[in-house]
Amino acid sequence: MKRWLSIGGVCVVLLAFVLPFDARATTALDIDGETEAFAVRVEYDLPLPGSIGTEPHVVGEIRRTFGENAKGLAGAPTDFTAITGGAVYDPWSTVNGNDGPLAVSGNSTGIKDPIDPHNGLPTAECFYPGQPATTVSWPRDLRADTKPIPPTSYANAQCGAGPTTQLTAWSASDDVPGSPTGALGSVLHTGALDATSLLQPEHGVVTSTARASAHEVSVLGGAVRIGGVEAEGTSTAQGPGGADGTNSHVALSDISAGGQVFSVADDAITVAGNTFPIDSSAGQAFLNNVNAGLDATGCKLSVLGPANPYPQGFLLSRKPPQIGVAKDGTFAASMHGGMLILCDLPQDVTTPTTFTPQRVQILVGFVYSMARATKGDAGFGTGDFLAGAGSINTPSKTVDVPGPSAAPAPVVAAKTDTNNVPQTQALPASAGRTIRYRPLARSTRIIFIVFGILLLIVATNVASRRLKELVGS
Amino acid sequence: MTATQAPRSRFAPRVQPRMEYLSSQAFVRSVIEISSAATISGYAVSRVTAHRLDPTATMVVLIGAAAINTLLVSLYAFFVALSDTVDGLVTKDGTEKPSPDADVLSAGRLWGRVLGSGVVGGAWGAGLTFLALAALNRRESHFLGLFVGVFIAAGVASITAGLAATALGVRFGLDVPKAAAVRPSRRRAWRDLALPFSALFALVTGAFTVLLFHDYHVGAAFSRHVLTEKEVLADLPIQIIIAVAVANFALGRAGRAESKLGLVSLEDPERQPTTAVFGIQALVAVVLVLLFVGGALVRFLLPAYPTLVQTVIARSAVVFFAALFAGGIAYTRGALNAKVVKR
């Protein structure tokens, strides 16, 4: 009886140790979160699209599977684009190239430039683990000689454990003289711009939020004026059996175009106290009137909405995402666009610049957010001892993410009216994705177990000898 | 039928046979280790944003807790047992063995024993950690898993080391070997005991600091967990008080026991009077000086946004000096007061 009680006691102790570590008993979920938002994106047709910039811009991402990582980018503006990048990266490339002594007519003078010709980029980036936080103050951080200049824009990116990504971008104006987007002045003027984003799991819910805003937007010297732009989106996912949800919207207030003054919010147009849906006949008729009034300026505008196809080139800084809400609480994502303005540029605007774009398209207000919480790979559980070693390496896990068909998102903009720019690039509906995990290799696990048992035997032997000597039987 | 004892009388020190004393000490140590494991695990997971520790952090916590707990326990368990035995609270019961003719109180043997216990404890924790890593299979651990792991790794190692140290202290107290040497009180207090003890306590504080702040953001101004001077020194008074209290508890008992056994000599009897019992005024002074002078100095030297290494150094330094001063004073006070009582 005593022996069986002892064996039972040992079993209870072993179970108490093993069960809490049991992979199948854990409640940890694999999580993902993504966000992107900007207030204004300007692209020129040269005829190849070469973007002048996106401002302010936040792009965030968090992941947790077997480990955690977070990354984020905040730019005011971002340095993604060819023209901005060219101007900032290589300011004197025609004179002396990127490095080395000054050159005159291609001949090296042997004289080193008095200041470092390399520019700091107007973008703050963070990675976790790795680079937890970055702050860029512009143009103070452009070069050593610009340090005394008061900042006109600011970007901060922080990534941390959790995982968490927090982003902030702010700019006094898009066309500050001397700034990388100074050339925009003749095409686009804005007042203060700012964008923020926060991605983190909190109290068991993956939350991704992003927001961007701009004030006093003016296109082509006032052909189109927008008093305020607010783009905001949030997605949450609690995991299997839990809740999930997403919302995104872009509000444009005090729009003055084609002799009309109106606002756009919640997919509806408000004019002189009357509100009607954008895709209604009244809404389309109103937009036709606005575009007719804009004919003299060479501009046309269309209102976007919570749709997944957008007439941009590359809209997101990532591959086309899934949009929709899963019924089981594991996934939610949405994106929303504001207004697209397409203008044929008059000669007097393009002449003063060193390039002569023929057309410019401006996307005002965009937000995308995604949250996912799925049950992770089963890993190695207590039952695997009984099932045999073959089940240690779980081969793979398939996460079926609902595509647009699972939760159809309405395409708001009208399909036939001339006020709409042709929607040339629809994002394809995606099939489910397969994500593969790599648990510990079987040999590694065996080495761990053998090494652990050896250490325990040695330590127990030393301790028991010592105890026996000191305490006695 | 026995009358029900009041808790005070039940837990009051009483004379016990050796084996019963060892059993009671093991029981008390088990209770302490359960709460200690809960505290360590709670701090470890609470400081991570998602309350999950990755396998590497789990490994560091398990091995570190086992090694450091064992180091501390094997030191003060020895002196507590020695003190209790010298005070007559432990009696022979026929199970004890005679002491070998070796001076187990010499600084080399004492600290060698402590370090040896720490190494064995660390090996035990490491062995268990490797098994845990194999079971975790790259998964993160949560509070319950960590608590059980810390208790089995650190708790079992500490209980075992504590039992061994207690048995050694009892044996030495019951049968003082001839090789036990008389040592001058100042050298014994400051060089042999207080200095290594304070280094050990600084190590404990450093490890605890890493546990507390490992997930804080360094150099960031906009975040929830930011390592700032104010944050890292917020609990300075508590740290100092704990260091002084533990030093007084362990080394005060050491001084009293060794003095009662006649193993302490006074180098300067005129300045080391044994005519009256010394109070705790000097220890209170240590707390106040460390708090107002030491704390101000650390605040002056520490940058507003310190790194984790700077934080560990700052907090460990304060605790080092608190334990050093308090340990030396406590040993001397215990030794002198024991001589007063003897009269």
Side-chain angles (χ1 to χ4, degrees):
Chain A
M1 184 62 184
K2 206 171 178 179
R3 174 179 293 177
W4 286 110
L5 282 175
S6 304
I7 293 172
V10 170
C11 288
V12 168
V13 170
L14 281 176
L15 284 176
F17 168 57
V18 171
L19 282 182
F21 285 111
D22 190 351
R24 293 193 195 285
T26 182
T27 57
L29 296 171
D30 291 348
I31 66 170
D32 297 274
E34 293 176 350
T35 57
E36 179 157 0
F38 55 80
V40 181
R41 170 172 285 182
V42 183
E43 290 184 349
Y44 288 138
D45 181 3
L46 289 174
L48 293 174
S51 169
I52 190 75
T54 304
E55 187 175 24
H57 197 187
V58 285
V59 187
E61 194 174 311
I62 57 172
R63 292 270 183 279
R64 186 174 72 205
T65 51
F66 282 101
E68 295 180 352
N69 67 72
K71 48 191 170 182
L73 179 148
T78 45
D79 51 33
F80 284 165
T81 50
I83 295 172
T84 304
V88 174
Y89 256 119
D90 202 3
W92 298 307
S93 60
T94 56
V95 179
N96 64 339
N98 271 329
D99 295 294
L102 283 166
V104 177
S105 302
N107 300 316
S108 173
T109 63
I111 302 169
K112 286 188 177 178
D113 198 86
I115 56 171
D116 184 353
H118 298 97
N119 284 338
L121 302 174
T123 301
E125 289 182 79
C126 66
F127 315 98
Y128 174 84
Q131 180 178 322
T134 314
T135 301
V136 171
S137 191
W138 190 262
R140 298 173 67 125
D141 294 329
L142 177 65
R143 287 187 306 274
D145 60 327
T146 60
K147 282 285 179 196
I149 301 174
T152 56
S153 67
Y154 163 91
N156 175 261
Q158 295 184 55
C159 297
T164 303
T165 297
Q166 187 175 345
L167 308 165
T168 306
W170 167 87
S171 182
S173 171
D174 74 305
D175 56 342
V176 175
S179 76
T181 51
L184 270 175
S186 58
V187 178
L188 180 77
H189 166 82
T190 72
L193 308 105
D194 73 284
T196 57
S197 181
L198 177 64
L199 303 95
Q200 63 178 358
E202 191 162 18
H203 303 301
V205 181
V206 184
T207 306
S208 304
T209 61
R211 190 193 135 274
S213 72
H215 302 279
E216 300 162 25
V217 178
S218 172
V219 178
L220 285 180
V224 179
R225 292 178 185 275
I226 305 172
V229 180
E230 287 284 344
E232 195 167 13
T234 300
S235 293
T236 58
Q238 201 169 11
D244 56 6
T246 183
N247 70 71
S248 58
H249 66 266
V250 177
L252 310 172
S253 58
D254 298 329
I255 306 167
S256 173
Q260 304 280 353
V261 178
F262 60 103
S263 295
V264 175
D266 300 326
D267 308 323
I269 297 173
T270 301
V271 185
N274 299 315
T275 300
F276 36 85
I278 296 169
D279 56 352
S280 66
S281 57
Q284 291 307 311
F286 175 76
L287 288 176
N288 285 339
N289 285 336
V290 171
N291 280 326
L294 282 172
D295 270 349
T297 64
C299 291
K300 288 179 178 176
L301 62 84
S302 61
V303 178
L304 304 174
N308 56 330
Y310 282 120
Q312 293 292 96
F314 62 96
L315 184 62
L316 287 160
S317 308
R318 63 185 88 239
K319 61 184 177 180
Q322 303 288 338
I323 298 297
V325 179
K327 291 178 181 174
D328 60 356
T330 57
F331 176 85
S334 63
M335 62 179 176
H336 208 120
M339 178 182 285
L340 184 68
I341 304 168
L342 187 64
C343 295
D344 294 325
L345 294 180
Q347 190 68 29
D348 61 327
V349 170
T350 59
T351 300
T353 62
T354 55
F355 58 95
T356 55
Q358 297 166 357
R359 203 168 72 147
V360 62
Q361 61 177 8
I362 303 165
L363 179 59
V364 183
F366 174 79
V367 65
Y368 159 71
S369 66
M370 183 277 279
R372 178 190 285 121
T374 53
K375 186 69 180 165
D377 168 49
F380 182 81
T382 312
D384 294 324
F385 282 116
L386 305 175
S391 64
I392 289 178
N393 290 314
T394 308
S396 68
K397 186 194 68 171
T398 300
V399 179
D400 289 321
V401 181
S405 58
V411 178
V412 174
K415 297 172 182 61
T416 55
D417 276 342
T418 53
N419 65 41
N420 286 297
V421 179
Q423 301 188 350
T424 54
Q425 188 180 349
L427 304 182
S430 302
R433 279 195 285 161
T434 298
I435 304 167
R436 288 187 178 278
Y437 295 120
R438 287 175 56 84
L440 287 174
R442 189 187 305 178
S443 57
T444 308
R445 289 167 58 85
I446 290 171
I447 289 171
F448 277 7
I449 291 170
V450 170
F451 195 54
I453 290 174
L454 276 178
L455 278 173
L456 284 177
I457 288 173
V458 170
T460 307
N461 193 36
V462 171
S464 62
R465 278 169 183 267
R466 182 75 174 148
L467 270 184
K468 195 173 178 184
E469 177 205 342
L470 289 168
V471 178
S473 59
Chain B
M1 191 171 176
T2 53
T4 306
Q5 285 182 300
R8 176 175 286 185
S9 59
R10 183 180 293 174
F11 291 108
R14 63 180 190 275
V15 178
Q16 292 173 295
R18 175 179 168 275
M19 285 304 283
E20 197 179 319
Y21 177 78
L22 293 180
S23 302
S24 68
Q25 288 296 308
F27 174 76
V28 171
R29 184 88 53 232
S30 301
V31 174
I32 292 172
E33 289 304 330
I34 287 174
S35 62
S36 169
T39 307
I40 292 170
S41 311
Y43 268 118
V45 298
S46 71
R47 295 292 157 156
V48 186
T49 308
H51 302 324
R52 291 276 193 285
L53 278 187
D54 61 45
T56 309
T58 306
M59 183 174 75
V60 171
V61 170
L62 291 185
I63 299 176
I68 290 173
N69 260 18
T70 313
L71 280 172
L72 262 186
V73 166
S74 58
L75 176 73
Y76 71 75
F78 173 77
F79 282 122
V80 168
L82 180 63
S83 171
D84 286 349
T85 308
V86 171
D87 286 343
L89 296 175
V90 187
T91 57
K92 293 184 177 179
D93 59 4
T95 61
E96 63 279 350
K97 295 177 183 176
S99 292
D101 195 19
D103 188 3
V104 298
L105 286 179
S106 73
R109 283 176 182 270
L110 178 71
W111 292 107
R113 212 164 48 239
V114 169
L115 288 177
S117 297
V119 169
V120 175
W124 167 268
L128 211 69
T129 300
F130 279 108
L131 290 185
L133 289 180
L136 282 170
N137 202 15
R138 282 193 179 150
R139 285 214 157 269
E140 295 172 326
S141 57
H142 45 84
F143 173 76
L144 184 60
L146 197 65
F147 167 69
V148 175
V150 170
F151 178 69
I152 295 181
V156 171
S158 302
I159 292 166
T160 310
L163 191 60
T166 304
L168 185 67
V170 170
R171 185 167 78 177
F172 188 89
L174 291 175
D175 180 22
V176 181
K178 291 175 184 172
V182 178
R183 293 182 176 83
S185 64
R186 284 176 181 160
R187 195 186 74 189
R188 178 69 173 163
W190 296 99
R191 198 191 70 179
D192 288 3
L193 294 179
L195 189 62
F197 176 80
S198 51
L200 174 61
F201 212 77
L203 174 71
V204 174
T205 304
F208 194 67
T209 301
V210 173
L211 187 71
L212 278 178
F213 296 115
H214 71 274
D215 202 41
Y216 273 51
H217 293 116
V218 177
F222 307 98
S223 185
R224 283 182 300 174
H225 286 161
V226 180
L227 213 51
T228 62
E229 181 199 86
K230 186 181 176 185
E231 189 85 14
V232 303
L233 298 180
D235 62 343
L236 195 66
I238 298 171
Q239 291 289 325
I240 292 172
I241 289 171
I242 289 174
V244 170
V246 173
N248 182 47
F249 177 78
L251 300 193
R253 283 171 177 248
R256 197 170 67 207
E258 291 181 9
S259 182
K260 281 186 177 179
L261 289 173
L263 300 177
V264 179
S265 66
L266 304 179
E267 306 95 324
D268 191 359
E270 287 186 5
R271 294 187 180 182
Q272 295 172 318
T274 55
T275 53
V277 174
F278 283 91
I280 61 164
Q281 294 89 335
L283 295 174
V284 174
V286 169
V287 172
L288 295 176
V289 168
L290 260 296
L291 194 58
F292 292 107
V293 179
L297 187 63
V298 169
R299 280 192 179 86
F300 174 72
L301 295 173
L302 204 61
Y305 291 93
T307 63
L308 187 59
V309 174
Q310 289 169 331
T311 303
V312 168
I313 292 172
R315 287 167 62 92
S316 300
V318 172
V319 166
F320 173 82
F321 286 108
L324 178 67
F325 295 142
I329 291 169
Y331 181 90
T332 309
R333 173 173 168 259
L336 294 179
N337 284 352
K339 289 184 182 296
V340 173
V341 173
K342 278 175 80 173
R343 287 183 175 182

